Amino acid sequence: MEYRKIKDEDNDGGGSSSGDLESLRGKPISVTNVASKSSELANWKRKSVVTLALTVLTSSQAILIVWSKRAGKYEYSVTTANFLVETLKCALSLAALARIWNHEGVTDDNRLSTTLDEVIVYPIPAVLYLVKNLLQYYIFAYVDAPGYQILKNLNIISTGVLYRIILKKKLSEIQWAAFILLCCGCTTAQLNSNSDRVLQTPLQGWIMAIVMALLSGFAGVYTEAIMKKRPSRNINVQNFWLYVFGMAFNAVAIVIQDFDAVMNKGFFHGYSFITVLMILNHALSGIAVSMVMKYADNIVKVYSTSVAMLLTAVVSVFLFGFHLSLAFFLGSIVVSVSVYLHSAGKLQR
Amino acid sequence: MEYRKIKDEDNDGGGSSSGDLESLRGKPISVTNVASKSSELANWKRKSVVTLALTVLTSSQAILIVWSKRAGKYEYSVTTANFLVETLKCALSLAALARIWNHEGVTDDNRLSTTLDEVIVYPIPAVLYLVKNLLQYYIFAYVDAPGYQILKNLNIISTGVLYRIILKKKLSEIQWAAFILLCCGCTTAQLNSNSDRVLQTPLQGWIMAIVMALLSGFAGVYTEAIMKKRPSRNINVQNFWLYVFGMAFNAVAIVIQDFDAVMNKGFFHGYSFITVLMILNHALSGIAVSMVMKYADNIVKVYSTSVAMLLTAVVSVFLFGFHLSLAFFLGSIVVSVSVYLHSAGKLQR
């Protein structure tokens, strides 16, 4: 299978991206590894910066969504906004590449031209997300929207399981415990008086929720496999190809779903200042996700977005006068303990 | 201070009760420690049996309370029932002692007569519980009954902190994380649509809840210190003295609170079959708690009663047709992970 092949190549040549603070601590200090030590420190710093960026961008994303809801409903086409997000990401990747070509010249690692063998895997995550988004329309026959938000926490578990199976990266037992806690903590933080309804979800709803979680987890893990398959390949080239296929699939979605609206009311109908901010935010978040996939991993991504969810709620208290529930406090404590256990679990190995 | 002295003596001579499965695993197998190995295995078995007994008795206690509520309100005096519980525990301890005297004869460890130095500490837990029970009447000015049930989970944290400070026994960082999770998990499992009210508790209510948690934790930890101060002293003698003071304090409580009712309607007014079962159950649970204090510790007791709380809810589904909430499932998973982490955290040392 394709992803198995990717993994094997990654194992052979891709050691540089796995260095982190913990492997650094484990090594005895000697003259010979001073160079590798400073490169590992640089890797760890880069990993921290992209993780922080993802957390801040994801938090502000959710806040923009709340803001846009408060400001009233804007009748723009979601598919056109998604297309613009992909286009903006593509443009930003090209701009970054142009700068690199100016400074370093065109090399094997940063040239845009590619082989069929390299490019053939890039459409796969886009296809997986497309199938998942299509299923999303059908699941609402079985669950309401708040129930779906709760079931989406299954993504955490599916990502962990697929990360283990497909990328063959091991988590310690403590880290697995931390992962289960992360899922429980996030769900607890979202509990409200109507949450129990989700227990009445029929079997079809559960199956669809699990399939969607697996598709979403698989897309994430597959993207990581693609980004890490060629560790020395410039990330902007990888992003460019990933986003070009994203643009293509979203163009198809516009034609299928919103052709009439775009033809009659125009491509940008219903756009507002907040819509533009949201597109900008989604584009930057998307690039941050790619960087986390390249320089960190899916586990870091899941923790980062979970912590962002909690930060959003706290910020919303000040911005929108939200009230925090006891369940939110308890869930936040469980998530915090999970973050601690994830790093404590690493140290044991 | 008195409890410091107890601890020091315990450290000098009381190593026999600290053996458990984990310390067993850590030792290399040799001819010389086969004897200590089999004694440690016996200790571990005894610890498991008393822990299981406490869990089952605590679960059935809660189920009896639900049953008695369903069967209608019985207007018996709580103080007379408490007095009978203490009397029954005293009688059972004496019966066990009589049997031991018949088999082994009277020795220094199992004789009932005692010194002032030994006996002077036994009333202290009874006094602490008395003060705590008095405070209980006043806290309801600030919190409602379900809110108080939630605040009672602070006992978990206070027990852990006092166990560390007073008995000077260390928990690993993973075990502390597990303890915080146990508190969050138990609280989450008890959440209902009115739980958020507890966040409106005024400062006085919080202070009283914390003081009560400290009193309860202190009483538990102090009882453990008493039981372990003299490891070779027969547990039935220690129980006898503990319960004699319990009888005395409950006799005082009868006079203060229910003197008129007992005089006019009789000591056993309002007693039913369920009341008798509850007295029997409380007496056996009390003895199980003493045994857990002697052969295990307060941490085991807290885990045992927390798991019992969850078992009660599950059994109530079958017995009384209760519905389990999503919060209960999430809390149960967090408690289960906490139990796992508590034992996984031990292995690291």
Side-chain angles (χ1 to χ4, degrees):
Chain A
M1 275 162 109
E2 187 61 29
Y3 52 81
R4 184 64 50 86
K5 200 174 130 215
I6 286 170
K7 176 59 196 154
D8 292 340
E9 288 182 35
D10 183 35
N11 263 352
D12 296 334
S16 71
S17 59
S18 66
D20 55 22
L21 192 63
E22 281 66 33
S23 60
L24 194 70
R25 280 186 197 151
K27 282 184 183 169
I29 295 162
S30 76
V31 183
T32 49
N33 68 16
V34 165
S36 85
K37 206 181 152 183
S38 79
S39 112
E40 274 172 0
L41 191 66
N43 280 342
W44 179 78
K45 272 187 189 167
R46 187 168 55 185
K47 192 171 154 178
S48 306
V49 168
V50 296
T51 307
L52 192 70
L54 180 61
T55 311
V56 172
L57 286 165
T58 311
S59 311
S60 49
Q61 206 175 86
I63 289 163
L64 281 173
I65 290 172
V66 177
W67 188 17
S68 75
K69 275 185 191 161
R70 294 249 159 161
K73 214 179 172 187
Y74 290 94
E75 291 294 343
Y76 65 90
S77 304
V78 177
T79 51
T80 63
N82 286 346
F83 177 80
L84 288 177
V85 168
E86 296 300 314
T87 311
L88 184 55
K89 290 195 287 188
C90 228
L92 288 171
S93 301
L94 278 178
L97 271 178
R99 212 171 140 252
I100 292 165
W101 292 331
N102 265 341
H103 280 75
E104 301 171 13
V106 179
T107 67
D108 259 6
D109 282 337
N110 69 24
R111 69 187 157 78
L112 206 58
S113 61
T114 176
T115 58
L116 183 69
D117 181 54
E118 183 185 353
V119 90
I120 203 157
V121 292
Y122 285 93
I124 292 169
V127 172
L128 290 169
Y129 281 121
L130 191 78
V131 175
K132 200 206 102 189
N133 289 338
L134 280 174
L135 275 177
Q136 201 160 305
Y137 288 94
Y138 296 100
I139 199 171
F140 287 117
Y142 305 105
V143 222
D144 56 3
Y148 175 61
Q149 288 300 317
I150 283 180
L151 290 177
K152 264 171 81 176
N153 291 310
L154 289 171
N155 282 0
I156 296 175
I157 301 297
S158 70
T159 301
V161 170
L162 292 169
Y163 177 82
R164 172 71 191 86
I165 296 175
I166 296 174
L167 297 178
K168 292 193 174 157
K169 289 191 184 169
K170 279 190 184 163
L171 294 174
S172 71
E173 283 181 13
I174 300 278
Q175 286 181 316
W176 275 114
F179 229 58
I180 294 167
L181 290 172
L182 183 67
C183 182
C184 288
C186 286
T187 313
T188 303
Q190 293 171 337
L191 285 179
N192 60 49
S193 50
N194 298 321
S195 303
D196 279 358
R197 262 190 249 153
V198 86
L199 294 175
Q200 267 92 54
T201 304
L203 186 64
Q204 297 99 311
W206 280 106
I207 291 172
M208 285 184 73
I210 291 167
V211 168
M212 285 171 69
L214 287 172
L215 282 169
S216 165
F218 192 73
V221 168
Y222 199 85
T223 306
E224 183 178 340
I226 291 173
M227 302 303 279
K228 287 189 177 152
K229 183 185 179 186
R230 293 177 167 79
S232 62
R233 192 75 161 118
N234 190 286
I235 186 176
N236 295 296
V237 178
Q238 295 180 307
N239 280 348
F240 173 81
W241 286 109
L242 216 49
Y243 303 149
V244 156
F245 288 107
M247 278 174 72
F249 283 107
N250 277 293
V252 173
I254 294 178
V255 174
I256 295 174
Q257 281 179 33
D258 291 314
F259 186 75
D260 287 346
V262 169
M263 279 296 131
N264 297 331
K265 295 189 262 175
F267 193 90
F268 296 100
H269 73 271
Y271 275 58
S272 70
F273 178 60
I274 298 176
T275 318
V276 173
L277 279 184
M278 282 172 76
I279 289 172
L280 198 64
N281 181 296
H282 271 80
L284 293 175
S285 309
I287 291 173
V289 168
S290 285
M291 292 175 100
V292 166
M293 295 299 170
K294 176 106 178 171
Y295 304 122
D297 53 46
N298 268 283
I299 306 299
V300 168
K301 185 197 161 218
V302 166
Y303 272 100
S304 169
T305 48
S306 300
V307 170
M309 190 265 287
L310 301 181
L311 282 181
T312 305
V314 173
V315 172
S316 299
V317 170
F318 297 101
L319 287 186
F320 310 112
F322 278 17
H323 286 286
L324 297 180
S325 66
L326 179 58
F328 178 82
F329 285 112
L330 293 168
S332 303
I333 297 172
V334 172
V335 169
S336 308
V337 173
S338 165
V339 171
Y340 162 74
L341 286 171
H342 180 76
S343 85
K346 240 184 226 166
L347 291 166
Q348 291 176 75
R349 283 189 286 187
Chain B
M1 275 160 106
E2 186 62 31
Y3 52 80
R4 184 63 52 87
K5 199 174 131 216
I6 287 171
K7 177 57 199 153
D8 292 342
E9 288 182 36
D10 184 33
N11 263 352
D12 296 336
S16 71
S17 58
S18 65
D20 55 21
L21 190 63
E22 281 67 33
S23 59
L24 194 68
R25 281 188 196 149
K27 280 183 185 170
I29 295 162
S30 76
V31 184
T32 49
N33 68 15
V34 167
S36 84
K37 204 183 152 183
S38 77
S39 112
E40 273 171 2
L41 190 66
N43 280 342
W44 179 77
K45 275 187 187 166
R46 186 166 56 184
K47 190 171 154 179
S48 305
V49 169
V50 296
T51 306
L52 192 69
L54 180 60
T55 311
V56 172
L57 286 165
T58 311
S59 311
S60 50
Q61 207 176 85
I63 289 164
L64 281 173
I65 290 171
V66 177
W67 188 18
S68 76
K69 275 185 191 162
R70 295 251 158 158
K73 214 178 171 187
Y74 290 94
E75 291 293 343
Y76 66 89
S77 304
V78 176
T79 52
T80 63
N82 286 346
F83 177 81
L84 288 177
V85 168
E86 296 298 315
T87 311
L88 185 54
K89 290 196 286 187
C90 229
L92 288 172
S93 301
L94 278 177
L97 271 178
R99 211 169 141 253
I100 291 164
W101 290 331
N102 266 341
H103 280 76
E104 302 172 14
V106 178
T107 67
D108 260 5
D109 282 335
N110 70 25
R111 70 189 157 75
L112 207 56
S113 62
T114 178
T115 58
L116 183 67
D117 180 55
E118 184 185 352
V119 90
I120 204 158
V121 291
Y122 285 93
I124 293 171
V127 172
L128 290 169
Y129 282 122
L130 191 76
V131 175
K132 199 206 101 186
N133 289 337
L134 281 173
L135 276 178
Q136 202 161 304
Y137 289 95
Y138 296 100
I139 197 170
F140 288 116
Y142 305 104
V143 221
D144 56 4
Y148 175 60
Q149 287 302 319
I150 283 179
L151 289 177
K152 264 171 81 175
N153 291 310
L154 289 171
N155 282 1
I156 295 175
I157 302 296
S158 70
T159 301
V161 171
L162 292 168
Y163 176 83
R164 172 71 191 88
I165 296 174
I166 296 173
L167 296 179
K168 293 194 173 161
K169 288 189 185 169
K170 279 190 182 164
L171 293 173
S172 71
E173 283 181 13
I174 300 279
Q175 286 181 316
W176 275 114
F179 229 57
I180 294 168
L181 290 173
L182 183 67
C183 181
C184 288
C186 286
T187 312
T188 303
Q190 293 170 338
L191 284 180
N192 61 49
S193 50
N194 299 321
S195 302
D196 279 357
R197 263 190 249 151
V198 86
L199 294 175
Q200 268 92 55
T201 305
L203 186 65
Q204 298 98 311
W206 281 105
I207 292 171
M208 285 184 73
I210 290 166
V211 168
M212 285 171 68
L214 286 172
L215 282 168
S216 166
F218 192 73
V221 168
Y222 200 85
T223 306
E224 182 177 342
I226 291 173
M227 301 303 279
K228 288 191 176 151
K229 184 184 178 184
R230 293 177 169 78
S232 61
R233 192 77 160 119
N234 189 287
I235 185 176
N236 295 295
V237 178
Q238 295 178 309
N239 279 348
F240 173 83
W241 285 110
L242 215 49
Y243 304 148
V244 156
F245 289 106
M247 279 173 72
F249 282 107
N250 277 294
V252 173
I254 295 176
V255 174
I256 296 174
Q257 281 181 32
D258 292 313
F259 186 77
D260 288 346
V262 169
M263 279 296 131
N264 297 332
K265 296 190 260 175
F267 193 89
F268 295 100
H269 73 272
Y271 275 57
S272 70
F273 178 61
I274 298 177
T275 318
V276 174
L277 279 184
M278 282 172 76
I279 289 172
L280 198 64
N281 181 297
H282 271 81
L284 293 176
S285 308
I287 291 172
V289 168
S290 285
M291 291 174 100
V292 167
M293 296 297 172
K294 177 106 178 170
Y295 304 123
D297 53 44
N298 268 283
I299 306 299
V300 168
K301 185 196 161 222
V302 166
Y303 272 100
S304 169
T305 47
S306 299
V307 170
M309 189 266 287
L310 301 182
L311 282 181
T312 305
V314 174
V315 171
S316 299
V317 170
F318 298 100
L319 288 184
F320 309 112
F322 278 19
H323 285 286
L324 297 180
S325 65
L326 179 59
F328 177 82
F329 285 112
L330 294 168
S332 302
I333 296 172
V334 172
V335 169
S336 308
V337 172
S338 166
V339 171
Y340 161 75
L341 287 171
H342 179 76
S343 85
K346 241 184 223 164
L347 291 167
Q348 290 177 72
R349 283 188 287 188

